[in-house]
Amino acid sequence: YPVQIHVKHILIGWYCLLSMEAWAQPAPHLRNFQPSDYEAQNQNWSLAQSSEGWIYTGNNGALLEFDGTRWRHFALPEKQAVRTVAIGRGGEIFCGGFAEFGYWAKDASGRLNYTSLSAQLGEGQVGKEEIWYILVLPEYVLFQSFSTIYKFDYQKIVPIKPPNAIMFAQAVNGQVVLPVIERGLYELLPDNTFRALPGSEVLKDKIVQFLVSNGKGGIW
């Protein structure tokens, strides 16, 4: 009986120590930035983080860069709102807005310079479209409005017309899958054509906003 009490005391002591250690874990450090802090407009559309930990924000007024200490602003050619931001395989900061998309890249001095990819399509080719989403893949980048995809293989731009209006493309199980409104799910094939995914037509009256793998080769 005394031994049993002794063992119980040891177990209770360990439990208390473990509980105290758990309680002592520091909470994540949160910082709240007001528009007056980053000196830009109050509406932000997109966030991306570079490999060096810097934060890039698509703001109504410009692309914002935060290095942990200070904010910098980078404007698109016509000072459009930056709707979407993504980091490329070489550290490029891709972005898109009204009738404009391209990327910033650092030169030898570390300064960001902008290259317009939409300008390479010719005047008026992007029209009045807004680029709302960018999907970065190992071999290419997709810039997407709700009616057109622009595929950039780090050399040239190819416009691709989907079967209908689309929601955001996503990479699932090695496939690029697009929710096509009133049609279901489609796969974007390497030759820039589309293949309807069998059975997905049940989603034709739904707005699909997110896709993930079910772990068995299928899609949720």
Side-chain angles (χ1 to χ4, degrees), residues 30-156:
L30 300 178
R31 296 177 65 182
N32 180 32
F33 296 101
Q34 300 295 329
S36 58
D37 297 320
Y38 51 79
E39 297 182 334
Q41 297 191 31
N42 61 5
Q43 195 163 27
N44 298 293
W45 296 95
S46 179
L47 290 171
Q49 185 173 23
S50 70
S51 59
E52 57 199 342
W54 293 14
I55 299 297
Y56 292 91
T57 304
N59 180 270
N60 255 7
L63 173 73
L64 309 182
E65 177 190 76
F66 182 60
D67 63 6
T69 302
R70 60 179 177 173
W71 294 88
R72 297 180 183 88
H73 298 185
F74 302 92
L76 288 175
E78 301 297 328
K79 300 188 182 337
Q80 300 98 320
V82 179
R83 302 296 191 189
T84 179
V85 180
I87 305 299
R89 67 186 187 188
E92 304 91 346
I93 301 104
F94 291 107
C95 67
F98 176 72
E100 176 66 38
F101 61 89
Y103 64 90
W104 274 273
K106 292 183 179 180
D107 61 20
S109 65
R111 178 177 297 181
L112 286 179
N113 294 311
Y114 183 68
T115 299
S116 174
L117 295 174
S118 51
Q120 298 178 18
L121 294 171
E123 185 176 355
Q125 289 297 307
V126 182
K128 296 183 178 180
E129 292 187 297
E130 292 263 12
I131 302 300
W132 286 99
Y133 185 68
I134 300 170
L135 178 62
V136 177
L137 297 162
E139 301 301 323
Y140 56 87
V141 182
L142 300 179
F143 297 85
Q144 184 187 324
S145 70
F146 289 123
S147 65
T148 309
I149 295 171
Y150 300 92
K151 184 177 181 180
F152 175 53
D153 64 359
Y154 289 88
Q155 293 184 354
K156 63 182 183 301

